[in-house]
Amino acid sequence: MKIPSLRPLIVIKLGGAALTNKKRICAPRLTVIDSAARQIAAIHNRKSVFIIHGAGSFGHIPVKRFGLSQGFKKSSQLRGLSETKLRLLEWEVLLNRKFFEHGIQTVPFIPSNYILARNGRIVSCNVKPIETWIRLGCVPSTGGDIVPDLATGFSVVSGDQLAVYMAIKLHASMLIFATDVDGIFDCNPKHNQNARLIEKLTLSETHQVAANMTPDVTDVTGGMKSKLDEASNAARSGISVYFVSLLKGRRLQELAMDHKRVRCSVIMPS
Ligand SMILES: Nc1ncnc2c1ncn2[C@@H]1O[C@H](COP(=O)(O)OP(=O)(O)OP(=O)(O)O)[C@@H](O)[C@H]1O
Ligand SMILES: [Mg+2]
């Protein structure tokens, strides 16, 4: 049988801030995961989907605890590295089991098996196997990870970087970041109740908003500030990048299916 051609592809980054409680180690939010899986199953009836997920409290907390964010310094780090990799694997299995229970034909991918980085940036990645699974009608799933690094031994590659990289390589029609806030605000909505949602951003407005943000210390990959920097790369490649809440109703599904008027933010492609 001939392998089908690629349908319009949506890359969805499920944020660890929504899927887990980032303040407690390995604390999944099962109702949010169920809701995400239900919405993605519905989206996949109409479009191809590639899921990238954040590591949430399965990644950020152990990476900090074992001092892994600056790369390889001494052999005594390797036990912590190994423990972190096992926690990430458990996270992958938990999430994929949920996706499967909701009828998604998921195929998990472990980034450190197919990605090489240099100074924390992806320099080599074989996307062909992923593309082939997508064309068959499967939904690959992969997430932020610690990967081998040509300059620093190993490095943390965020789900955000991965999502943008994949969206560009696979010519996605849409890239959606679903997380625990309604979109991009003029300041952190968790710290300021008067924060205003910015519905549409040009690339230069995105850079301005990012420049005014203070780095998030609980997120080892730079939180919303880095997310915006990564997202700009996708918008610069002509991809519309959306930010939507995973905690409210079926906004992810509504946005992905027909761009129905949903409360969200978009960075307009240039
Ligand atoms: N101006 C802003 N607009 C929107 N959110 C902001 C802003 N400034 C800071 N944030 C924070 O960014 C957080 C989301 O980024 P974060 O990287 O934690 O999410 P995530 O991608 O879901 O997590 P992970 O990195 O584990 O996948 C929100 O919880 C919010 O508090
Ligand atoms: Mg993050």
Side-chain angles (χ1 to χ4, degrees):
M1 195 183 136
K2 202 168 165 285
I3 299 178
S5 50
L6 203 58
R7 294 185 292 171
L9 172 69
I10 301 191
V11 173
I12 300 173
K13 157 75 194 315
L14 298 174
L19 299 175
T20 69
N21 175 350
K22 273 171 94 165
K23 295 207 171 85
R24 281 184 37 228
I25 189 150
C26 302
R29 289 199 174 119
L30 298 177
T31 48
V32 178
I33 297 170
D34 273 325
S35 162
R38 207 173 298 116
Q39 294 182 67
I40 290 172
I43 298 165
H44 189 242
N45 285 333
R46 297 249 296 269
K47 296 182 178 172
S48 293
V49 178
F50 185 3
I51 303 172
I52 319 281
H53 58 77
S57 62
F58 288 77
H60 296 281
I61 294 178
V63 162
K64 262 202 201 168
R65 181 177 293 173
F66 300 122
L68 304 175
S69 49
Q70 302 306 317
F72 181 68
K73 305 282 179 207
K74 49 184 190 289
S75 314
S76 56
Q77 281 173 303
L78 296 181
R79 187 134 183 98
L81 171 84
S82 203
E83 178 161 352
T84 309
K85 294 292 286 175
L86 286 173
R87 288 186 187 271
L88 290 171
L89 198 56
E90 285 160 17
W91 177 223
E92 199 63 44
V93 172
L94 185 157
L95 268 179
N96 278 275
R97 174 65 56 192
K98 282 281 180 200
F99 296 153
F100 179 77
E101 284 168 3
H102 284 273
I104 301 170
Q105 293 102 242
T106 180
V107 180
F109 274 81
I110 308 299
S112 57
N113 298 358
Y114 68 96
I115 282 175
L116 255 182
R118 186 187 296 277
N119 291 315
R121 305 303 301 173
I122 300 170
V123 288
S124 131
C125 166
N126 183 6
V127 294
K128 263 287 165 216
I130 292 172
E131 187 190 321
T132 308
W133 286 117
I134 295 172
R135 285 172 60 182
L136 284 173
C138 292
V139 178
S141 153
T142 198
D145 196 8
I146 304 172
V147 307
D149 191 296
L150 296 171
T152 60
F154 57 77
S155 58
V156 179
V157 163
S158 70
D160 299 336
Q161 183 187 161
L162 210 49
V164 169
Y165 184 94
M166 294 298 180
I168 295 172
K169 285 276 174 195
L170 295 168
H171 308 289
S173 58
M174 200 176 180
L175 167 60
I176 303 178
F177 288 94
T179 184
D180 65 340
V181 286
D182 287 0
I184 309 300
F185 289 77
D186 57 355
C187 58
N188 190 340
K190 288 211 184 136
H191 298 161
N192 186 342
Q193 59 180 8
N194 297 321
R196 186 182 58 83
L197 182 76
I198 312 171
E199 292 185 354
K200 277 187 185 167
L201 295 99
T202 61
L203 265 171
S204 67
E205 286 164 345
T206 308
H207 291 310
Q208 266 169 27
V209 175
N212 291 334
M213 284 179 181
T214 39
D216 175 356
V217 287
T218 59
D219 188 303
V220 295
T221 51
M224 187 55 86
K225 191 177 174 65
S226 302
K227 197 187 298 298
L228 287 186
D229 291 337
E230 301 287 357
S232 304
N233 294 331
R236 212 172 287 115
S237 296
I239 300 169
S240 300
V241 186
Y242 293 84
F243 298 81
V244 70
S245 173
L246 193 56
L247 304 184
K248 299 196 183 145
R250 289 184 300 173
R251 288 186 189 175
L252 169 63
Q253 181 182 337
E254 288 165 359
L255 178 65
M257 302 268 272
D258 43 21
H259 298 236
K260 215 163 88 184
R261 212 38 241 144
V262 177
R263 184 169 160 84
C264 66
S265 300
V266 60
I267 304 179
M268 277 140 350
S270 65

mmCIF file with all atom_site columns, all heavy atoms in Angstrom, residues 32-47:
data_model
loop_
_atom_site.group_PDB
_atom_site.id
_atom_site.type_symbol
_atom_site.label_atom_id
_atom_site.label_alt_id
_atom_site.label_comp_id
_atom_site.label_asym_id
_atom_site.label_entity_id
_atom_site.label_seq_id
_atom_site.pdbx_PDB_ins_code
_atom_site.Cartn_x
_atom_site.Cartn_y
_atom_site.Cartn_z
_atom_site.occupancy
_atom_site.B_iso_or_equiv
_atom_site.pdbx_formal_charge
_atom_site.auth_seq_id
_atom_site.auth_comp_id
_atom_site.auth_asym_id
_atom_site.auth_atom_id
_atom_site.pdbx_PDB_model_num
ATOM 1   N N   . VAL A 1 32 ? -6.296  17.803 33.342 1.00 0.00 ? 32 VAL A N   1
ATOM 2   C CA  . VAL A 1 32 ? -5.836  18.637 32.213 1.00 0.00 ? 32 VAL A CA  1
ATOM 3   C C   . VAL A 1 32 ? -5.322  17.729 31.089 1.00 0.00 ? 32 VAL A C   1
ATOM 4   O O   . VAL A 1 32 ? -5.589  17.961 29.899 1.00 0.00 ? 32 VAL A O   1
ATOM 5   C CB  . VAL A 1 32 ? -4.728  19.624 32.670 1.00 0.00 ? 32 VAL A CB  1
ATOM 6   C CG1 . VAL A 1 32 ? -4.219  20.439 31.491 1.00 0.00 ? 32 VAL A CG1 1
ATOM 7   C CG2 . VAL A 1 32 ? -5.235  20.534 33.784 1.00 0.00 ? 32 VAL A CG2 1
ATOM 8   N N   . ILE A 1 33 ? -4.596  16.675 31.470 1.00 0.00 ? 33 ILE A N   1
ATOM 9   C CA  . ILE A 1 33 ? -4.062  15.751 30.458 1.00 0.00 ? 33 ILE A CA  1
ATOM 10  C C   . ILE A 1 33 ? -5.224  15.083 29.705 1.00 0.00 ? 33 ILE A C   1
ATOM 11  O O   . ILE A 1 33 ? -5.203  14.959 28.475 1.00 0.00 ? 33 ILE A O   1
ATOM 12  C CB  . ILE A 1 33 ? -3.134  14.696 31.118 1.00 0.00 ? 33 ILE A CB  1
ATOM 13  C CG1 . ILE A 1 33 ? -1.920  15.397 31.761 1.00 0.00 ? 33 ILE A CG1 1
ATOM 14  C CG2 . ILE A 1 33 ? -2.677  13.658 30.094 1.00 0.00 ? 33 ILE A CG2 1
ATOM 15  C CD1 . ILE A 1 33 ? -1.061  14.505 32.639 1.00 0.00 ? 33 ILE A CD1 1
ATOM 16  N N   . ASP A 1 34 ? -6.264  14.681 30.455 1.00 0.00 ? 34 ASP A N   1
ATOM 17  C CA  . ASP A 1 34 ? -7.446  14.070 29.816 1.00 0.00 ? 34 ASP A CA  1
ATOM 18  C C   . ASP A 1 34 ? -8.091  15.045 28.837 1.00 0.00 ? 34 ASP A C   1
ATOM 19  O O   . ASP A 1 34 ? -8.448  14.667 27.712 1.00 0.00 ? 34 ASP A O   1
ATOM 20  C CB  . ASP A 1 34 ? -8.489  13.675 30.874 1.00 0.00 ? 34 ASP A CB  1
ATOM 21  C CG  . ASP A 1 34 ? -8.226  12.272 31.413 1.00 0.00 ? 34 ASP A CG  1
ATOM 22  O OD1 . ASP A 1 34 ? -7.785  11.412 30.638 1.00 0.00 ? 34 ASP A OD1 1
ATOM 23  O OD2 . ASP A 1 34 ? -8.453  12.051 32.610 1.00 0.00 ? 34 ASP A OD2 1
ATOM 24  N N   . SER A 1 35 ? -8.225  16.294 29.262 1.00 0.00 ? 35 SER A N   1
ATOM 25  C CA  . SER A 1 35 ? -8.862  17.286 28.395 1.00 0.00 ? 35 SER A CA  1
ATOM 26  C C   . SER A 1 35 ? -8.023  17.508 27.127 1.00 0.00 ? 35 SER A C   1
ATOM 27  O O   . SER A 1 35 ? -8.553  17.565 26.013 1.00 0.00 ? 35 SER A O   1
ATOM 28  C CB  . SER A 1 35 ? -9.053  18.594 29.163 1.00 0.00 ? 35 SER A CB  1
ATOM 29  O OG  . SER A 1 35 ? -9.268  19.648 28.276 1.00 0.00 ? 35 SER A OG  1
ATOM 30  N N   . ALA A 1 36 ? -6.700  17.587 27.309 1.00 0.00 ? 36 ALA A N   1
ATOM 31  C CA  . ALA A 1 36 ? -5.813  17.781 26.144 1.00 0.00 ? 36 ALA A CA  1
ATOM 32  C C   . ALA A 1 36 ? -5.958  16.606 25.178 1.00 0.00 ? 36 ALA A C   1
ATOM 33  O O   . ALA A 1 36 ? -6.080  16.790 23.959 1.00 0.00 ? 36 ALA A O   1
ATOM 34  C CB  . ALA A 1 36 ? -4.363  17.917 26.612 1.00 0.00 ? 36 ALA A CB  1
ATOM 35  N N   . ALA A 1 37 ? -5.968  15.393 25.728 1.00 0.00 ? 37 ALA A N   1
ATOM 36  C CA  . ALA A 1 37 ? -6.046  14.188 24.887 1.00 0.00 ? 37 ALA A CA  1
ATOM 37  C C   . ALA A 1 37 ? -7.375  14.157 24.126 1.00 0.00 ? 37 ALA A C   1
ATOM 38  O O   . ALA A 1 37 ? -7.415  13.846 22.924 1.00 0.00 ? 37 ALA A O   1
ATOM 39  C CB  . ALA A 1 37 ? -5.896  12.949 25.759 1.00 0.00 ? 37 ALA A CB  1
ATOM 40  N N   . ARG A 1 38 ? -8.463  14.512 24.819 1.00 0.00 ? 38 ARG A N   1
ATOM 41  C CA  . ARG A 1 38 ? -9.792  14.514 24.174 1.00 0.00 ? 38 ARG A CA  1
ATOM 42  C C   . ARG A 1 38 ? -9.817  15.510 23.006 1.00 0.00 ? 38 ARG A C   1
ATOM 43  O O   . ARG A 1 38 ? -10.312 15.224 21.923 1.00 0.00 ? 38 ARG A O   1
ATOM 44  C CB  . ARG A 1 38 ? -10.853 14.891 25.221 1.00 0.00 ? 38 ARG A CB  1
ATOM 45  C CG  . ARG A 1 38 ? -12.223 14.345 24.944 1.00 0.00 ? 38 ARG A CG  1
ATOM 46  C CD  . ARG A 1 38 ? -13.196 14.600 26.092 1.00 0.00 ? 38 ARG A CD  1
ATOM 47  N NE  . ARG A 1 38 ? -12.815 13.963 27.337 1.00 0.00 ? 38 ARG A NE  1
ATOM 48  C CZ  . ARG A 1 38 ? -12.500 14.608 28.473 1.00 0.00 ? 38 ARG A CZ  1
ATOM 49  N NH1 . ARG A 1 38 ? -12.543 15.926 28.524 1.00 0.00 ? 38 ARG A NH1 1
ATOM 50  N NH2 . ARG A 1 38 ? -12.156 13.951 29.552 1.00 0.00 ? 38 ARG A NH2 1
ATOM 51  N N   . GLN A 1 39 ? -9.259  16.681 23.239 1.00 0.00 ? 39 GLN A N   1
ATOM 52  C CA  . GLN A 1 39 ? -9.276  17.726 22.200 1.00 0.00 ? 39 GLN A CA  1
ATOM 53  C C   . GLN A 1 39 ? -8.396  17.323 21.017 1.00 0.00 ? 39 GLN A C   1
ATOM 54  O O   . GLN A 1 39 ? -8.757  17.523 19.853 1.00 0.00 ? 39 GLN A O   1
ATOM 55  C CB  . GLN A 1 39 ? -8.790  19.053 22.793 1.00 0.00 ? 39 GLN A CB  1
ATOM 56  C CG  . GLN A 1 39 ? -9.724  19.624 23.856 1.00 0.00 ? 39 GLN A CG  1
ATOM 57  C CD  . GLN A 1 39 ? -9.238  20.963 24.374 1.00 0.00 ? 39 GLN A CD  1
ATOM 58  O OE1 . GLN A 1 39 ? -9.227  21.947 23.646 1.00 0.00 ? 39 GLN A OE1 1
ATOM 59  N NE2 . GLN A 1 39 ? -8.823  21.005 25.630 1.00 0.00 ? 39 GLN A NE2 1
ATOM 60  N N   . ILE A 1 40 ? -7.228  16.737 21.323 1.00 0.00 ? 40 ILE A N   1
ATOM 61  C CA  . ILE A 1 40 ? -6.310  16.356 20.231 1.00 0.00 ? 40 ILE A CA  1
ATOM 62  C C   . ILE A 1 40 ? -6.916  15.213 19.412 1.00 0.00 ? 40 ILE A C   1
ATOM 63  O O   . ILE A 1 40 ? -6.790  15.184 18.182 1.00 0.00 ? 40 ILE A O   1
ATOM 64  C CB  . ILE A 1 40 ? -4.914  15.996 20.792 1.00 0.00 ? 40 ILE A CB  1
ATOM 65  C CG1 . ILE A 1 40 ? -4.242  17.274 21.313 1.00 0.00 ? 40 ILE A CG1 1
ATOM 66  C CG2 . ILE A 1 40 ? -4.038  15.336 19.723 1.00 0.00 ? 40 ILE A CG2 1
ATOM 67  C CD1 . ILE A 1 40 ? -2.956  17.052 22.069 1.00 0.00 ? 40 ILE A CD1 1
ATOM 68  N N   . ALA A 1 41 ? -7.615  14.286 20.071 1.00 0.00 ? 41 ALA A N   1
ATOM 69  C CA  . ALA A 1 41 ? -8.266  13.196 19.327 1.00 0.00 ? 41 ALA A CA  1
ATOM 70  C C   . ALA A 1 41 ? -9.255  13.788 18.318 1.00 0.00 ? 41 ALA A C   1
ATOM 71  O O   . ALA A 1 41 ? -9.325  13.355 17.165 1.00 0.00 ? 41 ALA A O   1
ATOM 72  C CB  . ALA A 1 41 ? -8.977  12.254 20.297 1.00 0.00 ? 41 ALA A CB  1
ATOM 73  N N   . ALA A 1 42 ? -9.999  14.812 18.737 1.00 0.00 ? 42 ALA A N   1
ATOM 74  C CA  . ALA A 1 42 ? -10.968 15.445 17.826 1.00 0.00 ? 42 ALA A CA  1
ATOM 75  C C   . ALA A 1 42 ? -10.250 16.173 16.688 1.00 0.00 ? 42 ALA A C   1
ATOM 76  O O   . ALA A 1 42 ? -10.659 16.082 15.524 1.00 0.00 ? 42 ALA A O   1
ATOM 77  C CB  . ALA A 1 42 ? -11.848 16.422 18.612 1.00 0.00 ? 42 ALA A CB  1
ATOM 78  N N   . ILE A 1 43 ? -9.165  16.863 17.001 1.00 0.00 ? 43 ILE A N   1
ATOM 79  C CA  . ILE A 1 43 ? -8.416  17.586 15.959 1.00 0.00 ? 43 ILE A CA  1
ATOM 80  C C   . ILE A 1 43 ? -7.870  16.596 14.932 1.00 0.00 ? 43 ILE A C   1
ATOM 81  O O   . ILE A 1 43 ? -7.915  16.823 13.723 1.00 0.00 ? 43 ILE A O   1
ATOM 82  C CB  . ILE A 1 43 ? -7.245  18.395 16.584 1.00 0.00 ? 43 ILE A CB  1
ATOM 83  C CG1 . ILE A 1 43 ? -7.760  19.462 17.559 1.00 0.00 ? 43 ILE A CG1 1
ATOM 84  C CG2 . ILE A 1 43 ? -6.377  19.038 15.489 1.00 0.00 ? 43 ILE A CG2 1
ATOM 85  C CD1 . ILE A 1 43 ? -6.677  20.042 18.478 1.00 0.00 ? 43 ILE A CD1 1
ATOM 86  N N   . HIS A 1 44 ? -7.378  15.456 15.435 1.00 0.00 ? 44 HIS A N   1
ATOM 87  C CA  . HIS A 1 44 ? -6.736  14.485 14.543 1.00 0.00 ? 44 HIS A CA  1
ATOM 88  C C   . HIS A 1 44 ? -7.727  13.825 13.584 1.00 0.00 ? 44 HIS A C   1
ATOM 89  O O   . HIS A 1 44 ? -7.331  13.266 12.559 1.00 0.00 ? 44 HIS A O   1
ATOM 90  C CB  . HIS A 1 44 ? -5.972  13.422 15.365 1.00 0.00 ? 44 HIS A CB  1
ATOM 91  C CG  . HIS A 1 44 ? -5.125  12.544 14.511 1.00 0.00 ? 44 HIS A CG  1
ATOM 92  N ND1 . HIS A 1 44 ? -5.316  11.188 14.411 1.00 0.00 ? 44 HIS A ND1 1
ATOM 93  C CD2 . HIS A 1 44 ? -4.088  12.831 13.682 1.00 0.00 ? 44 HIS A CD2 1
ATOM 94  C CE1 . HIS A 1 44 ? -4.433  10.686 13.559 1.00 0.00 ? 44 HIS A CE1 1
ATOM 95  N NE2 . HIS A 1 44 ? -3.668  11.658 13.107 1.00 0.00 ? 44 HIS A NE2 1
ATOM 96  N N   . ASN A 1 45 ? -9.019  13.911 13.872 1.00 0.00 ? 45 ASN A N   1
ATOM 97  C CA  . ASN A 1 45 ? -10.005 13.418 12.902 1.00 0.00 ? 45 ASN A CA  1
ATOM 98  C C   . ASN A 1 45 ? -9.952  14.212 11.610 1.00 0.00 ? 45 ASN A C   1
ATOM 99  O O   . ASN A 1 45 ? -10.333 13.734 10.550 1.00 0.00 ? 45 ASN A O   1
ATOM 100 C CB  . ASN A 1 45 ? -11.430 13.534 13.475 1.00 0.00 ? 45 ASN A CB  1
ATOM 101 C CG  . ASN A 1 45 ? -11.681 12.456 14.501 1.00 0.00 ? 45 ASN A CG  1
ATOM 102 O OD1 . ASN A 1 45 ? -11.059 11.393 14.429 1.00 0.00 ? 45 ASN A OD1 1
ATOM 103 N ND2 . ASN A 1 45 ? -12.575 12.722 15.444 1.00 0.00 ? 45 ASN A ND2 1
ATOM 104 N N   . ARG A 1 46 ? -9.487  15.465 11.706 1.00 0.00 ? 46 ARG A N   1
ATOM 105 C CA  . ARG A 1 46 ? -9.496  16.346 10.534 1.00 0.00 ? 46 ARG A CA  1
ATOM 106 C C   . ARG A 1 46 ? -8.109  16.678 10.009 1.00 0.00 ? 46 ARG A C   1
ATOM 107 O O   . ARG A 1 46 ? -7.940  16.953 8.829  1.00 0.00 ? 46 ARG A O   1
ATOM 108 C CB  . ARG A 1 46 ? -10.214 17.653 10.893 1.00 0.00 ? 46 ARG A CB  1
ATOM 109 C CG  . ARG A 1 46 ? -11.679 17.468 11.262 1.00 0.00 ? 46 ARG A CG  1
ATOM 110 C CD  . ARG A 1 46 ? -12.607 18.051 10.218 1.00 0.00 ? 46 ARG A CD  1
ATOM 111 N NE  . ARG A 1 46 ? -12.444 19.483 10.107 1.00 0.00 ? 46 ARG A NE  1
ATOM 112 C CZ  . ARG A 1 46 ? -13.134 20.379 10.792 1.00 0.00 ? 46 ARG A CZ  1
ATOM 113 N NH1 . ARG A 1 46 ? -14.046 19.974 11.659 1.00 0.00 ? 46 ARG A NH1 1
ATOM 114 N NH2 . ARG A 1 46 ? -12.931 21.658 10.615 1.00 0.00 ? 46 ARG A NH2 1
ATOM 115 N N   . LYS A 1 47 ? -7.105  16.691 10.897 1.00 0.00 ? 47 LYS A N   1
ATOM 116 C CA  . LYS A 1 47 ? -5.784  17.172 10.474 1.00 0.00 ? 47 LYS A CA  1
ATOM 117 C C   . LYS A 1 47 ? -4.682  16.292 11.039 1.00 0.00 ? 47 LYS A C   1
ATOM 118 O O   . LYS A 1 47 ? -4.898  15.573 12.025 1.00 0.00 ? 47 LYS A O   1
ATOM 119 C CB  . LYS A 1 47 ? -5.574  18.606 10.980 1.00 0.00 ? 47 LYS A CB  1
ATOM 120 C CG  . LYS A 1 47 ? -6.567  19.557 10.343 1.00 0.00 ? 47 LYS A CG  1
ATOM 121 C CD  . LYS A 1 47 ? -6.381  20.977 10.769 1.00 0.00 ? 47 LYS A CD  1
ATOM 122 C CE  . LYS A 1 47 ? -7.399  21.839 10.018 1.00 0.00 ? 47 LYS A CE  1
ATOM 123 N NZ  . LYS A 1 47 ? -7.463  23.196 10.440 1.00 0.00 ? 47 LYS A NZ  1
#
